[in-house]
Amino acid sequence: MIRDVRIKPILNSRGNQTVCAEIITETGSYFANAPSGKSKGEYEVKDLPFAKIKKLFPIVRKNIVGVDEKEWCLVDDRLESMGLNKIGGNLSIALSIAAVRAAGEGEAVDALGGAKSFPYLLGNVLGGGAHGGSLSIQEILVIPAKAKDVATAAKTNFAIWRAVGSELKNHGTVGNNDEGAWTADVNELEALGIVAGVAKKFGARIGVDVAAGELYKNGKYHWPSLGKTLNKSQQMDMILNLIKEFKLVYVEDPFIETDWESFRELTKRTKILICGDDLFATHPERLKIGVSKKAARATIIKPDQCGLVSKALRSIDIAREGNIVHVVSHRSGETLDPFIADLAVATGAPLLKAGVSGIERVAKANRLIELWNKVKKPRMTKLRL
Ligand code: PGA
Ligand code: ZN
């Protein structure tokens, strides 16, 4: 039985306040931290500042104390019945994850049904957009597709990240952004050229997160790095050209989240993984629309977008039934909480997008390695690129 529930404010990797939740049962104390996004979609559950959460927390606490912790979905039901936007998505996801951990006596993966198979790592090596950097698009990503285990995958991504950093030495001021990706004075064409060259040496594939919602103003997509302003058909051509020129295997959010038609057309015109992040916002109802419209071949799963682990699992089920690859993902503002690694392993996610550099990103890779060593016959999830 859940004996008590507590919360405290802690800092995330950006130095901003986030929620740490604690659920206390007869077997122990179980903690979870809420991640925090910066390039958020309009369909995400809204977070609340900690000061507000603190005021409303006594009612939330009262609703959860007494629940049988093995029935962690009941905690989610109680949270949902209070209205996730009213109590804050950051509070609800921290409590929901803590409840899963309590049910598994510390092992979230067990409460979620046990380890299935292990994801490939999708790592951000060079960035821009809302996370900082001269690129208009948000992320250039690498997938160490030849790795046969998660430790090799993590090591390879780090080696690529390091090599990209060396290649950038003659490209102005070099730094790192919110997700630990490199920033430099380069535009998309130069940056993709550099990453493609390095990735090839490591047998890795590459992709991008356009985060197009951040480029969109007054009906047009603005690419200041390339001095271009594009309407939606020009945006389509731009994305198709980038896919062709740099052999991209993954493109996330190439259009704004309301433009189902462009997503659908792009998915039809290419065979690669067109992925919806802000498009789906991990909401089961939006995934259902996506499946029926054939709007994408992949979806990002960020449990905090929908505010509850049980809801994220429903989205994953819908994606699987609809033949959509689910990509479990971190946020740009992270903590050491590695829950997304458990979720990826328990649901057999083909990809885990967890960044490369920064101890808050490494924590997810390390959790994968820990689970890999615990499982009897671990195997990578099948992924065709
Ligand atoms: P966010 O960005 O966590 O800052 O929202 C991540 C993403 O768009 O994939
Ligand atoms: Zn994204």
Side-chain angles (χ1 to χ4, degrees):
M1 195 192 70
I2 295 178
R3 281 190 180 161
D4 203 0
V5 187
R6 296 182 193 145
I7 52 163
K8 62 185 172 200
I10 60 162
L11 297 186
N12 65 21
S13 52
R14 260 195 287 268
N16 295 331
Q17 243 176 13
T18 189
V19 183
C20 170
E22 178 184 7
I23 288 190
I24 300 155
T25 70
E26 275 88 8
T27 60
S29 257
Y30 304 98
F31 295 87
N33 306 331
S36 335
K38 200 184 227 179
S39 75
K40 289 185 148 203
E42 64 174 281
Y43 300 106
E44 295 192 30
V45 171
K46 305 283 175 284
D47 289 346
L48 287 179
F50 193 84
K52 278 204 174 143
I53 288 175
K54 204 174 155 189
K55 278 198 191 129
L56 57 85
F57 183 66
I59 312 164
V60 179
R61 181 184 162 275
K62 223 170 117 189
N63 266 314
I64 297 174
V65 169
V67 172
D68 173 2
E69 82 270 17
K70 294 290 168 200
E71 306 283 336
W72 66 266
C73 283
L74 286 180
V75 172
D76 279 16
D77 292 348
R78 303 255 170 118
L79 293 168
E80 182 141 45
S81 70
M82 284 179 272
L84 300 183
N85 282 319
K86 274 196 197 132
I87 62 171
N90 43 351
L91 173 63
S92 79
I93 196 60
L95 288 168
S96 182
I97 295 172
V100 171
R101 280 209 177 101
E105 293 185 22
E107 292 292 324
V109 71
D110 290 344
L112 296 174
K116 216 165 165 212
S117 55
F118 287 75
Y120 285 87
L121 284 161
L122 184 57
N124 184 4
V125 291
L126 184 45
H131 297 164
S134 63
L135 300 180
S136 306
I137 66 168
Q138 191 171 279
E139 298 160 26
I140 300 183
L141 302 146
V142 295
I143 309 169
K146 292 217 168 108
K148 299 228 163 26
D149 60 79
V150 288
T152 309
K155 230 171 99 182
T156 308
N157 268 3
F158 235 109
I160 295 173
W161 175 87
R162 227 178 267 119
V164 167
S166 312
E167 294 277 327
L168 288 170
K169 283 224 171 85
N170 300 321
H171 292 84
T173 313
V174 177
N176 294 101
N177 70 10
D178 283 15
E179 287 193 0
W182 295 106
T183 60
D185 291 339
V186 281
N187 64 30
E188 277 70 12
L189 306 179
E190 294 158 334
L192 280 164
I194 289 170
V195 177
V198 172
K200 202 171 172 200
K201 287 185 200 152
F202 288 87
R205 311 304 303 265
I206 71 170
V208 294
D209 181 1
V210 179
E214 303 289 322
L215 308 182
Y216 197 75
K217 256 167 222 102
N218 304 322
K220 295 260 168 75
Y221 294 97
H222 298 265
W223 295 64
S225 51
L226 294 173
K228 289 191 169 160
T229 300
L230 310 175
N231 63 27
K232 69 177 175 181
S233 89
Q234 292 165 327
Q235 174 83 355
M236 178 76 69
D237 292 341
M238 167 72 101
I239 301 297
L240 284 165
N241 284 336
L242 292 178
I243 293 172
K244 201 167 154 211
E245 188 168 348
F246 298 102
K247 298 194 175 65
L248 306 182
V249 296
Y250 174 95
V251 175
E252 184 178 323
D253 280 353
F255 303 100
I256 48 163
E257 60 251 62
T258 46
D259 191 359
W260 291 107
E261 270 321 301
S262 295
F263 266 92
R264 179 186 158 94
E265 190 187 330
L266 180 62
T267 301
K268 216 160 104 189
R269 288 176 70 177
T270 165
K271 288 201 164 58
I272 70 155
L273 291 176
I274 300 302
C275 181
D277 172 7
D278 295 348
L279 178 71
F280 298 126
T282 318
H283 282 298
E285 315 80 57
R286 293 192 64 82
L287 249 319
K288 272 187 203 153
I289 300 172
V291 169
S292 71
K293 286 187 184 288
K294 293 193 169 65
R297 285 198 185 86
T299 178
I300 285 287
I301 297 288
K302 293 170 174 165
D304 66 301
Q305 280 183 322
C306 62
L308 295 171
V309 176
S310 54
K311 227 176 186 178
L313 289 176
R314 279 211 297 285
S315 295
I316 292 172
D317 282 344
I318 294 163
R320 273 228 205 89
E321 281 159 26
N323 248 330
I324 288 185
V325 166
H326 71 284
V327 182
V328 176
S329 170
H330 65 167
R331 301 305 304 244
S332 52
E334 269 293 340
T335 69
L336 294 178
D337 192 314
F339 175 73
I340 54 167
D342 290 59
L343 182 64
V345 172
T347 60
L351 289 163
L352 175 64
K353 188 184 179 203
V356 180
S357 175
I359 196 65
E360 71 283 5
R361 319 285 154 192
V362 172
K364 282 62 170 175
N366 280 347
R367 176 66 175 158
L368 284 185
I369 296 169
E370 186 185 345
L371 291 172
W372 182 277
N373 287 311
K374 253 191 199 164
V375 169
K376 266 202 188 122
K377 277 191 185 156
R379 62 180 176 86
M380 302 295 279
T381 308
K382 281 204 180 88
L383 174 66
R384 279 225 313 251
L385 292 173

